């Protein structure tokens, strides 16, 4: 029996050495170790071996199986290496690689990150709210009654459910006050939607950066100082900023903010970049009702709010003449910001 085992082992090893590819190698494996393989057949002969020899024969069988298995594995590795080498024939691995076309950050993202960075250093924390809003958060709570023109079906995208695509990020003011308590200092960058005809200064989906500061004794000088400092940090220390009286239902008094755009060879122009104002007491009242408590009691707290158009800021920052360039994804345009 021992001789038979050695014979099978030697035959298997030389068959393994002789194989040319992994298909042949697999055939050898099956012929020796498979269910009907030669070594398997010898193993099943164990039951007829006299008890005294069982140990020695068993050991010989195991040794043979191990030697064959190792040879199979070694041969498989050799074959794989040969195949790898063959695959490389004709390829020059020293050729320089083709350059990858690296992407870059979109100008709107660049601007948003910078704006958010400045405001965070001033103590504002990021807040968020849904783009699909209800009328309460977008309008009612913001002192914008049902007969206000902003609620015209033609100005806003409504769903059958009565929900709508928010026309401004000011809804996040309400949501933030509903879930925290004063002092509150938040900024909320995000998308806003309007049924505007798309032209060189309008998009139907655009971006705003909302801000809200509520505490005891927040005053108009706080609003003015904060936004002036912000705009001068964004556009440069010498930047001229002007506050123009305006009307928003949810702030009183309200202002629009213009920044002086000075492009070489052009007459300077004032560009509107933001709306802002002192939070209207009616907004605090709506929040108190919605919360069911008085922590935003307008007799106790005051606040200011602002909303900026990020596309407008980007246009000023880089002298971009047409807002549509920001959404067309023309690489010749975008490459300039890389
Ligand atoms: N929500 C206003 C707009 O979209 C901007 C604004 C925000 C005005 C906050 C005042 C206070 O035009």
């Amino acid at each position: 029996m021992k001789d038979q085992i050695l014979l099978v082992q030697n035959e298997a090893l030389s068959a393994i050495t002789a194989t040319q590819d992994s298909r042949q190698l697999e055939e050898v494996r099956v012929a020796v170790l498979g269910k009907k393989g030669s070594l398997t057949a010898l193993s099943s002969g164990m039951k007829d071996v006299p008890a005294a020899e069982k140990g020695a024969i068993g050991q010989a069988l195991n040794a043979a199986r191990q030697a064959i298995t190792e040879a199979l594995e070694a041969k498989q590795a050799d074959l794989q290496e040969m195949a790898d080498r063959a695959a490389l024939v004709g390829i020059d691995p020293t050729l320089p690689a083709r350059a990858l076309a690296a992407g870059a950050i979109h100008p709107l993202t660049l601007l948003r990150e910078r704006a958010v960075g400045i405001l965070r250093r001033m103590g504002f924390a990021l807040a968020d709210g849904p783009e699909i809003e209800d009328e309460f958060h977008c309008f009612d709570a913001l002192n914008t009654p049902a007969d206000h023109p902003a609620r015209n079906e033609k100005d806003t995208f409504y769903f059958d459910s009565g929900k709508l695509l928010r026309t401004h990020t000011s809804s996040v003011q309400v949501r933030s006050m509903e879930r925290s308590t004063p002092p509150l200092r938040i900024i909320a960058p995000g998308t806003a939607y309007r049924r505007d005809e798309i032209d060189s200064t309008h998009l139907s989906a655009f971006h705003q950066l909302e801000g809200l500061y509520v505490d005891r004794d927040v005053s108009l000088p706080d609003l003015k100082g904060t936004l002036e400092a912000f705009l001068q940090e964004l556009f440069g220390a010498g930047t001229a900023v002007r506050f123009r009286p305006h009307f928003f239902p949810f702030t009183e008094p309200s202002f629009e903010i213009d920044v002086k755009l000075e492009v070489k060879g052009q007459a300077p122009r004032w560009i509107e970049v933001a709306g802002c104002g002192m939070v209207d007491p009616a907004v605090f009242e709506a929040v108190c009702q919605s919360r069911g408590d008085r922590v935003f009691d307008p007799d106790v707290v005051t606040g200011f709010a602002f909303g900026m158009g990020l596309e407008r800021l980007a246009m000023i920052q880089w002298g971009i003449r047409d807002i549509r360039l920001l959404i067309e994804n023309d690489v010749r345009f975008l490459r300039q910001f890389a």
Side-chain angles (χ1 to χ4, degrees), residues 8 39 49 64 88 94 115 176 180 183 194 256 273 294 317 337:
V8 163
L39 195 69
V49 173
L88 285 178
T94 63
S176 302
S180 45
R194 275 175 216 177
E256 278 188 337
V273 294
R294 302 293 302 166
Q317 176 88 77
F337 304 92

Side-chain angles (χ1 to χ4, degrees), residues 168 170 173 194 208 210 248 250-251 275-277 305-307:
H168 51 191
S170 299
Q173 289 184 36
R194 275 175 216 177
Q208 289 191 326
E210 192 79 15
F248 295 104
F250 35 91
T251 47
C276 65
F306 55 90

